[in-house]
Amino acid sequence: MSVNPLRSQDVYIDAGKNVTFLMLSLLHKEQATEKEAVEETADRLQAIKRSLNVRYPDSHLRIAFGISSLAWDYLFPSAPKPNELEDFTGIKGDKYDAPGTPADLFLHVRADDQSVTYEVVDEVMTFLRPVTTTVDETHGFRYFEGRAIIGFVDGTENPIDDDAIEWGIIHDEDPEFENGSYAFAQKYLHQMDNWKDLSAEQQEQVIGRKKFTDLEQDDEEKNQRAHNVAAQDNRNGIEHKIVRMNVPFSDPGQNITGTYFIGYARYWNVTKAMLTNMFTKNDLILDYSTPVSGQVFFIPSLDTLDKIADNQY
Ligand code: HEM
């Protein structure tokens, strides 16, 4: 078999306009009932998507549904497990830490039309609400030209087309789980007052790019702790990539503003290396951004979803 992105969930395009992220915990009370609810979700998800695509063809609906390591062990104790799936228990940095959030299921829905995003999440929750509690629900949005809420275009150096498939989707290194992916979801709150006190040039030093034009700074201009330097995973001289689809969220009335980081990867160890670099190299972005959650989820291929739906695991 060779990799086939048409059998993947929506892990290689794109950040979307109206976005909902849900992290859920199973009740861990009645395994059989909870497993049935997950099987039903796996079964119905593509039908929900097909229906909304027929009704709203221009809405660019994209969905990814994921399962954490804890949930995999609980739901499918005798099934094979994706090679790199593990529980993310956090990273201790020099100055800042990245917490790990215990959670079982993950849903990432985006569409141009907010009613479409809402409809999908509501329909999926019909199956999952009786067997879960919500760990976090975040509603994100596209900000101007795809900028992070801190004003810089986010996603410029993302791999696209064949490269997105190369770096975003599991290949035959894990044949049972080919066309799956590893999603890392991490919610950050920004210290916006401190950020806004910086000049544009100071902010550019933090990110490593020009704010208005989005051009990369010259190497000699760049701070070694700039985000686009510190976060790189260049092990063995190879620039490893992931597919990032971050979006901002904000409740301005409550002075809550942040970035929901979401990175899809063929190799979880690449995302993990980037994270470890950020927190051990004191990435300057962390002086203005505090992570409040984080977990890795396996995003099954459509074929694996079918197997889950058919109770084959
Ligand atoms: C507060 C949260 C974050 C914000 C606002 C943010 C924003 C940005 C921005 C604006 C860029 C430059 C443009 C681009 O290439 O996309 C960038 C680059 C990058 N980000 Fe983040 N990011 C965040 C968290 C993370 C995390 C958690 C990771 C890794 C797990 C990460 C990995 C990267 C990498 C590797 C690059 C450089 C890409 C390259 O130049 O090849 N970012 N990010």
Side-chain angles (χ1 to χ4, degrees), residues 16 62 147 197 251 270 303:
R62 322 255 191 237
R147 291 182 184 262
D197 280 346
D251 297 322
V270 171
D303 299 297

Side-chain angles (χ1 to χ4, degrees), residues 81-254:
K81 188 171 176 182
N83 280 341
E84 290 194 77
L85 187 59
E86 64 172 1
D87 185 33
F88 178 73
T89 53
I91 293 175
K92 282 226 153 302
D94 283 348
K95 265 169 111 177
Y96 307 109
D97 299 335
T101 307
D104 290 313
L105 305 176
F106 176 64
L107 188 64
H108 176 199
V109 182
R110 57 261 192 221
D112 291 358
D113 183 338
Q114 196 169 356
S115 59
V116 173
T117 307
Y118 159 76
E119 191 68 14
V120 171
V121 178
D122 188 52
E123 288 185 18
V124 171
M125 285 311 290
T126 314
F127 314 122
L128 293 180
R129 202 174 289 117
V131 298
T132 57
T133 54
T134 298
V135 178
D136 181 71
E137 176 166 13
T138 299
H139 302 283
F141 59 94
R142 181 177 162 88
Y143 182 54
F144 295 125
E145 318 109 292
R147 291 182 184 262
I149 203 76
I150 54 174
F152 286 77
V153 176
D154 196 355
T156 304
E157 298 295 342
N158 257 342
I160 55 166
D161 302 329
D162 286 353
D163 287 339
I165 291 159
E166 177 70 23
W167 290 109
I169 297 177
I170 297 170
H171 288 44
D172 57 6
E173 63 276 0
D174 193 356
E176 173 74 17
F177 296 108
E178 196 167 23
N179 301 318
S181 186
Y182 294 98
F184 183 67
Q186 192 183 36
K187 184 171 175 172
Y188 284 85
L189 297 178
H190 293 303
Q191 287 78 55
M192 289 305 279
D193 292 343
N194 297 350
W195 179 252
K196 286 177 181 168
D197 280 346
L198 301 182
S199 65
E201 289 72 22
Q202 287 170 319
Q203 293 181 348
E204 289 172 353
Q205 287 291 106
V206 173
I207 301 297
R209 302 186 77 92
K210 305 277 188 201
K211 193 170 181 184
F212 181 72
T213 61
D214 187 34
L215 291 172
E216 196 169 353
Q217 285 185 328
D218 293 334
D219 281 348
E220 52 283 5
E221 243 181 312
K222 269 190 195 166
N223 189 311
Q224 285 314 294
R225 288 172 55 209
H227 178 54
N228 71 350
V229 179
Q232 295 265 356
D233 169 19
N234 292 333
R235 285 170 298 164
N236 305 320
I238 297 166
E239 197 178 317
H240 296 86
K241 296 271 185 180
I242 61 174
V243 181
R244 294 171 285 122
M245 302 187 192
N246 313 344
V247 281
F249 61 88
S250 186
D251 297 322
Q254 295 176 58

Side-chain angles (χ1 to χ4, degrees), residues 4-20:
N4 178 2
L6 296 179
R7 300 304 296 162
S8 297
Q9 296 194 62
D10 293 323
V11 299
Y12 57 99
I13 39 171
D14 49 38
K17 282 192 180 165
N18 297 285
V19 190
T20 295

